[in-house]
Amino acid sequence: MTVAMATTPNGSKALSNGVFATNRTRIVLVIALVATWLFAGLLPSYKQTVKNLTQKKYNEAIGHFPALKVDWHPRVDSEVQFNSSKVALLIEGRPIPHLVPQLLHMISILPPDWRFKFIGTNKSVMSVSRSFATQHQALNGKLDLVVLPKPWAVDSKEDVYRMLTDLRFYNDHLSEVEWMLKFESDSIMCANSGETLDDWLHYDWAGASRSKNDNFAGNGGLSLRRISTVKRILGFQSRYNDTEPEDEWFGKRITVLPGAKVASGTEENHFSVEDTWFEKPIGYHIRDMGKTLADDVWKSPEKRKANFDYCPELAMIMPMKLERERCEGEDKEGNILL
Ligand SMILES: *[C@@H]1O[C@H](CO)[C@@H](O)[C@H](O)[C@H]1NC(C)=O
Ligand SMILES: *[C@@H]1O[C@H](CO)[C@@H](O)[C@H](O)[C@H]1NC(C)=O
Ligand SMILES: *[C@@H]1O[C@H](CO)[C@@H](O)[C@H](O)[C@H]1NC(C)=O
């Protein structure tokens, strides 16, 4: 009895609990089933939505693709990145093979705020602009590649002399420029130099000295010029056509111009080296692409070695026959020993 008594309430309780539990489980089951059906019903359209979204994004990405390529370049406004009053100018009408590496080298050597301008012919500008590296510099606002319209021409040295001694050229094409580094296809600056071009900005003109005790380092193949001073001279002087080279013409005038500061050939002879040797200059100009080398700089094998050790970039602009293609029995200074 006690057992039955004990069992009955427990049993009925268990039974009623069991029924209740079963009912709750059923309800949960039904809800779960309904939810599953609903889900299953939604699934295809869900799939479709995801697919549509993905397709849309994909199409958008494809649509953006060319724009992405164009937007890639100027992260910084070129006006902020570069100082428009500092320009390195190279004028060259011939499509010389080393123009691209020479330009890129010069870009890497000059302080980063300097801009570059290459003035050439259709042919030389085309040859320079074919390189990806120069295209990048041009799109970035660092480098201008230009063919000037008539009356300007760059086919001969005299054309270039006329251009550089014409006030209109500075007003029309270098209007914002105050400091101009003029370099040529046969001049180079040396990465091993401890100096920066910006150290020379207080000069109105600095170039290479022509002789040992030259009072003016004025040779223009690799020279820094102050454009306001150049314009001052051109304001009251004009060069006759077919006379002396522009650097000599300017030199005669700038050395007597009141207030102008020119690099002295005896004290500041290390800006560029052309005719007179100096240890560790900022750069070299090797006139006529090495056809008429100055004895003082190139004749002795020791000086040649010193030049090339200090400035290996010289090899870029020189024919490099000096060391290798020599005659038998020659003393390395151009004399045949018998
Ligand atoms: C450009 O450079 C010159 C000389 O270094 C400097 O005086 C001038 O402030 C610079 N201009 C700008 C806009 O940075
Ligand atoms: C240079 O190219 C331009 C445009 O392509 C052309 O109009 C011009 O005549 C060319 N000049 C020379 C000198 O070939
Ligand atoms: C010098 O040459 C230019 C062409 O480059 C010409 O326009 C000018 O008239 C010439 N000047 C003289 C004085 O002959």
Side-chain angles (χ1 to χ4, degrees):
M1 260 307 268
T2 329
V3 171
M5 284 269 293
T7 313
T8 312
N10 277 350
S12 82
K13 201 180 174 195
L15 189 71
S16 81
N17 266 357
V19 168
F20 188 68
T22 310
N23 280 349
R24 213 161 52 180
T25 310
R26 269 190 197 149
I27 289 164
V28 169
L29 255 170
V30 167
I31 289 172
L33 262 171
V34 168
T36 310
W37 285 331
L38 261 170
F39 242 92
L42 283 175
L43 207 58
S45 61
Y46 171 73
K47 259 188 183 162
Q48 199 55 44
T49 315
V50 170
K51 202 178 160 198
N52 283 346
L53 268 173
T54 318
Q55 188 71 39
K56 206 172 149 215
K57 276 202 175 153
Y58 180 72
N59 286 343
E60 266 173 20
I62 292 274
H64 278 141
F65 210 63
L68 207 73
K69 206 175 166 196
V70 173
D71 287 348
W72 165 58
H73 291 281
R75 292 238 168 81
V76 188
D77 189 355
S78 69
E79 299 215 342
V80 179
Q81 214 175 346
F82 307 116
N83 190 328
S84 52
S85 60
K86 298 170 176 177
V87 162
L89 175 71
L90 172 58
I91 303 173
E92 180 56 70
R94 298 162 294 173
I96 302 169
H98 72 234
L99 289 176
V100 168
Q102 185 200 9
L103 265 169
L104 295 172
H105 170 70
M106 294 293 280
I107 285 175
S108 73
I109 297 252
L110 260 56
D113 60 341
W114 281 74
R115 295 192 74 246
F116 279 71
K117 200 178 187 86
F118 177 86
I119 297 179
T121 56
N122 276 5
K123 262 191 177 172
S124 67
V125 165
M126 184 103 68
S127 81
V128 168
S129 62
R130 266 203 297 255
S131 143
F132 175 79
T134 47
Q135 283 169 20
H136 173 78
Q137 297 293 351
L139 279 165
N140 206 23
K142 176 85 173 174
L143 170 68
D144 281 338
L145 300 168
V146 287
V147 182
L148 293 185
K150 281 188 167 51
W152 310 114
V154 296
D155 300 310
S156 68
K157 285 190 173 183
E158 176 60 22
D159 288 335
V160 176
Y161 298 157
R162 287 182 192 178
M163 188 154 93
L164 290 171
T165 50
D166 195 324
L167 197 52
R168 290 174 301 169
F169 170 67
Y170 295 96
N171 288 336
D172 296 352
H173 301 288
L174 298 170
S175 61
E176 289 175 75
V177 179
E178 177 57 0
W179 293 277
M180 181 177 93
L181 176 77
K182 181 181 168 283
F183 68 106
E184 295 175 5
S185 53
D186 47 12
S187 37
I188 198 93
M189 280 171 69
C190 312
N192 281 331
S193 166
E195 287 184 86
T196 151
L197 191 55
D198 283 349
D199 292 342
W200 293 80
L201 297 185
H202 54 292
Y203 288 98
D204 288 289
W205 191 291
S209 44
R210 290 188 166 86
S211 59
K212 270 277 171 257
N213 297 310
D214 200 348
N215 61 4
F216 173 46
N219 223 324
L222 177 63
S223 59
L224 180 68
R225 304 157 180 212
R226 190 93 178 230
I227 298 304
S228 54
T229 308
V230 163
K231 283 183 179 170
R232 231 169 100 202
I233 292 171
L234 294 174
F236 65 92
Q237 294 269 294
S238 4
R239 175 181 173 270
Y240 288 114
N241 289 343
D242 308 308
T243 56
E244 63 203 327
E246 56 91 29
D247 54 351
E248 286 173 33
W249 185 86
F250 274 120
K252 282 184 186 150
R253 284 147 186 92
I254 203 167
T255 42
V256 295
L257 191 73
K261 182 169 169 57
V262 297
S264 139
T266 46
E267 287 151 38
E268 294 104 5
N269 46 5
H270 55 295
F271 184 82
S272 64
V273 158
E274 181 168 338
D275 288 324
T276 60
W277 189 78
F278 195 87
E279 204 179 11
K280 303 185 176 172
I282 202 165
Y284 292 82
H285 178 221
I286 53 149
R287 214 170 32 215
D288 298 327
M289 217 88 71
K291 277 185 214 130
T292 48
L293 289 173
D295 283 355
D296 188 47
V297 186
W298 297 103
K299 193 171 178 184
S300 106
E302 290 77 31
K303 278 184 183 168
R304 282 205 300 274
K305 183 171 180 335
N307 296 344
F308 286 123
D309 283 351
Y310 166 68
C311 195
E313 303 97 314
L314 277 164
M316 214 187 271
I317 55 165
M318 295 183 89
M320 294 310 290
K321 289 186 177 173
L322 292 169
E323 301 303 330
R324 296 198 188 112
E325 296 176 30
R326 306 202 73 97
C327 300
E328 216 173 304
E330 186 243 21
D331 69 352
K332 298 203 171 192
E333 292 193 0
N335 308 309
I336 304 282
L337 307 170
L338 296 172

